[in-house]
Amino acid sequence: MYTYFSSPQNQKPFNSKKSPLPVIEIVQIPPEVAIMYSKKTPQAPPIPRGGACNNCKRRKMRCDGQRPICGPCSRSSSLTDCQYGRTHADRLQEQISVLETRLEQLQNGPNDSNTRPNTLALHHPYASRNFPVLSRDTPTENELIEAFLPYTSQLGFFLNAKNLLSAFSNPMSDPTQRPTHALSASMVLLGAYFSHYLIQNSSITLELIETYLSKAVQATSLGLSESHPQRILHTLQANIVIAHYFFLHNRVIKGKWHLDHAVSLVLSARLHQIRSSSVQFQFPDNIVQNVSEEGEQINAMWTVLALNCLWSAAEGIPASIAYTTEQRRIDTPWPLDSGSYSETTLPPSLKASHTIRKFLSGIPDEGNSILALYAKATILFEQTTVFWKRYTDGTQPPSSAARTFTNITESRDFQSSYQNLSSLLTHLLNNIPPVDANQFRSYLEQDTKSRLLTIHIVVRVTIIRLECTFSAYYPFRRPVLLEMANGIIECLTKADLDSIFLDPIMAVGIP
């Protein structure tokens, strides 16, 4: 038992002249309490070297080594993760280091001197394990891109392919005029495809095409990280080209993945708001641009939108771009044909808004180019598909759709939508240049002729889908179906299929 002396409470300060001696009170304090105030407080036993927790090591504090939580960590409100040895973060960092090493091995190749024998190198899913040996007869990349040129328009190529090839072939050309690695790899891929299947070049093997595919997919995934001033447009174009390659091979899921990536680039770059009367548009990578470059951006937007509408409708689903909503409305003016953009056709004062909404409302416009007609055909195809699915659910026969209305308002909406779509399709069909028209000689190049054929067939198939909603309930509409089917056969007969390349959508069965 320890004894301490203390003054009673409220005791005044001692003064020898005026006050008596202070009263001393003896207080007995238990040992367990007194030891806390003793100068001879026993110290915690020393812990082995390196036995401190990670927090005490980092803060250079004396750790008592208690587990699961040491003394300093238990007395701190901010240190709640008292851990010893390797932490979860350390293990994650080690895994990151291992993955970075494997990625470096993949990029440098398996023969790199830094490759460790006990590591497993990663392989790209599309890459061939052994790179095929190129023979002397194998076309160069320049020759493969040149083989791709005749089919550029039909495969959604909105850039100037000839200028890109010229710059790509000239090592001394301006680097800003050359295609990015993503774009050149995708053009080489399609050039190899056409060389193998159409030109039937025996030196282009399927193994070599798979190698070109691997390079194109990998380069496109890194397209936005390049330093090229037009990397957004070139990456967008590369995704469109690769999507067509997958469509040609009936690999629709992979094709739509690249198409969806192109859609995200269009929306993120705000290409749907070019020349908008309500939004100030500035392209992210090239604020100062000429009319030709702005025209490429306009054509890029409409190309992606048309392909998205076309392949979405072929699967019976709405398009990824919700162009009928206010948030994603299309203000970009209708596109012109490549090479038609100038200060006269696209004056600085030209502004636009609600381009598709005005078209669907029947308001006349100046969208008469081949690309504009193609976009209108695909938009109506998608709108008709949505209309058809709304009233048939895609499961019950269309004949029952006209008899299942619950009220007069629903019936009127159905009739109004049908009349509007029918009117727009009839007007569009009458404005499409015939495939063999003499007055459109400038259109009858191989790729443009094929695009015209696609437009004719898409519009007629759309009319057939629309009329299927009525045909069984109104038998007098059946002659329209027969007329459209005969029109498709007539177009295919006049088109000379042996001399043109068909859009891969032609091989897709429409639900």
Side-chain angles (χ1 to χ4, degrees):
M1 184 73 67
Y2 291 81
T3 303
Y4 286 84
F5 299 94
S6 64
S7 300
Q9 294 183 356
N10 303 325
Q11 178 70 42
K12 296 182 179 180
F14 172 72
N15 189 326
S16 60
K17 296 181 180 181
K18 298 181 180 181
S19 302
L21 292 174
V23 178
I24 304 300
E25 181 182 0
I26 300 176
V27 180
Q28 300 294 330
I29 301 178
E32 61 271 15
V33 176
I35 195 173
M36 297 178 61
Y37 300 95
S38 175
K39 293 182 179 180
K40 297 181 179 180
T41 303
Q43 300 293 328
I47 61 175
R49 184 177 181 84
C53 73
N54 297 327
N55 290 333
C56 292
K57 287 181 181 178
R58 184 173 60 256
R59 302 180 66 181
K60 300 185 183 305
M61 298 174 57
R62 185 177 182 85
C63 183
D64 57 14
Q66 295 296 321
R67 303 195 182 211
I69 301 178
C70 69
C73 289
S74 64
R75 292 191 293 268
S76 175
S77 60
S78 60
L79 300 177
T80 58
D81 55 341
C82 183
Q83 297 182 0
Y84 294 84
R86 293 173 64 251
T87 64
H88 180 64
D90 296 332
R91 290 191 292 271
L92 288 178
Q93 187 60 45
E94 291 181 2
Q95 293 180 8
I96 292 175
S97 300
V98 172
L99 292 177
E100 288 178 345
T101 302
R102 292 182 179 179
L103 180 60
E104 184 178 358
Q105 294 172 2
L106 176 64
Q107 294 175 342
N108 295 334
N111 296 327
D112 186 70
S113 58
N114 297 327
T115 303
R116 294 181 298 176
N118 60 341
T119 59
L120 177 63
L122 296 177
H123 296 276
H124 196 279
Y126 298 122
S128 176
R129 294 300 178 93
N130 297 318
F131 192 86
V133 179
L134 301 180
S135 66
R136 295 181 178 180
D137 297 332
T138 302
T140 63
E141 291 187 346
N142 293 343
E143 294 172 338
L144 292 177
I145 294 178
E146 189 172 358
F148 168 64
L149 291 184
Y151 312 98
T152 53
S153 177
Q154 188 64 13
L155 295 178
F157 208 89
F158 49 80
L159 300 174
N160 192 319
K162 293 183 179 179
N163 290 348
L164 291 173
L165 174 60
S166 177
F168 183 79
S169 305
N170 183 9
M172 305 301 295
S173 61
D174 184 0
T176 62
Q177 302 301 318
R178 295 168 59 86
T180 62
H181 295 299
L183 180 56
S184 60
S186 63
M187 296 172 70
V188 168
L189 169 64
L190 266 294
Y193 169 84
F194 289 119
S195 297
H196 176 79
Y197 288 100
L198 298 185
I199 304 176
Q200 296 182 352
N201 189 330
S202 59
S203 63
I204 303 297
T205 62
L206 294 179
E207 184 182 11
L208 184 58
I209 292 178
E210 285 297 313
T211 301
Y212 288 138
L213 173 62
S214 173
K215 291 182 177 180
V217 171
Q218 183 177 14
T220 303
S221 66
L222 303 175
L224 295 180
S225 63
E226 299 189 43
S227 59
H228 198 284
Q230 295 291 338
R231 59 184 177 273
I232 293 181
L233 273 186
H234 285 203
T235 304
L236 194 156
Q237 181 69 88
N239 276 286
I240 292 298
V241 173
I242 296 177
H244 273 97
Y245 173 85
F246 285 121
F247 291 149
L248 288 169
H249 285 271
N250 196 27
R251 297 160 71 176
V252 179
I253 295 178
K254 292 184 178 295
K256 289 209 65 178
W257 187 93
H258 285 275
L259 182 56
D260 289 340
H261 187 56
V263 169
S264 65
L265 287 176
V266 165
L267 296 178
S268 61
R270 298 194 304 164
L271 296 183
H272 61 297
Q273 296 176 340
I274 301 177
R275 294 296 184 103
S276 174
S277 59
S278 58
V279 179
Q280 183 66 31
F281 172 79
Q282 288 184 341
F283 191 67
D285 280 350
N286 193 13
I287 297 177
V288 180
Q289 57 188 347
N290 55 43
V291 177
S292 178
E293 291 174 348
E294 187 178 18
E296 289 180 345
Q297 296 169 12
I298 294 174
N299 287 8
M301 198 289 301
W302 287 106
T303 298
V304 173
L305 176 76
L307 286 173
N308 183 245
C309 289
L310 186 63
W311 286 92
S312 297
E315 293 187 350
I317 60 177
S320 301
I321 303 179
Y323 53 81
T324 57
T325 63
E326 188 65 22
Q327 294 80 4
R328 290 289 183 263
R329 75 168 194 259
I330 306 299
D331 289 345
T332 303
W334 289 109
L336 303 176
D337 292 322
S338 299
S340 301
Y341 288 97
S342 64
E343 295 290 345
T344 303
T345 58
L346 195 66
S349 59
L350 176 63
K351 299 293 182 180
S353 67
H354 301 86
T355 306
I356 294 182
R357 183 177 300 180
K358 292 178 180 178
F359 165 65
L360 295 177
S361 299
I363 301 176
D365 54 55
E366 297 181 356
N368 298 316
S369 66
I370 297 297
L371 180 55
L373 294 175
Y374 177 70
K376 290 180 177 180
T378 58
I379 291 170
L380 291 178
F381 184 35
E382 191 261 348
Q383 286 289 307
T384 301
T385 300
V386 173
F387 169 80
W388 182 77
K389 295 281 287 187
R390 183 188 309 159
Y391 293 103
T392 65
D393 295 329
T395 56
Q396 56 183 340
S399 59
S400 62
R403 293 193 291 265
T404 57
F405 300 122
T406 58
N407 52 60
I408 297 178
T409 302
E410 186 180 0
S411 177
R412 289 177 178 174
D413 291 341
F414 176 84
Q415 294 287 343
S416 176
S417 299
Y418 168 81
Q419 293 294 341
N420 183 57
L421 289 172
S422 179
S423 176
L424 291 172
L425 286 166
T426 302
H427 182 266
L428 179 60
L429 185 61
N430 294 332
N431 288 339
I432 304 174
V435 177
D436 60 344
N438 295 329
Q439 62 268 32
F440 294 102
R441 289 292 184 183
S442 60
Y443 289 154
L444 299 183
E445 298 178 359
Q446 189 178 34
D447 56 342
T448 309
K449 185 178 181 181
S450 179
R451 175 57 62 85
L452 276 176
L453 176 64
T454 302
I455 298 172
H456 274 280
I457 293 179
V458 168
V459 173
R460 285 174 166 81
V461 169
T462 305
I463 294 177
I464 291 175
R465 165 160 286 184
L466 179 65
E467 294 299 331
C468 280
T469 313
F470 268 123
S471 60
Y473 191 62
Y474 297 108
F476 65 89
R477 304 298 300 175
R478 295 180 183 177
V480 179
L481 303 179
L482 183 59
E483 179 184 356
M484 293 299 108
N486 289 332
I488 293 175
I489 296 176
E490 183 179 357
C491 290
L492 293 173
T493 303
K494 293 181 178 180
D496 188 14
L497 299 181
D498 294 334
S499 62
I500 65 173
F501 171 76
L502 289 178
D503 192 298
I505 193 65
M506 299 297 180
V508 177
I510 307 299

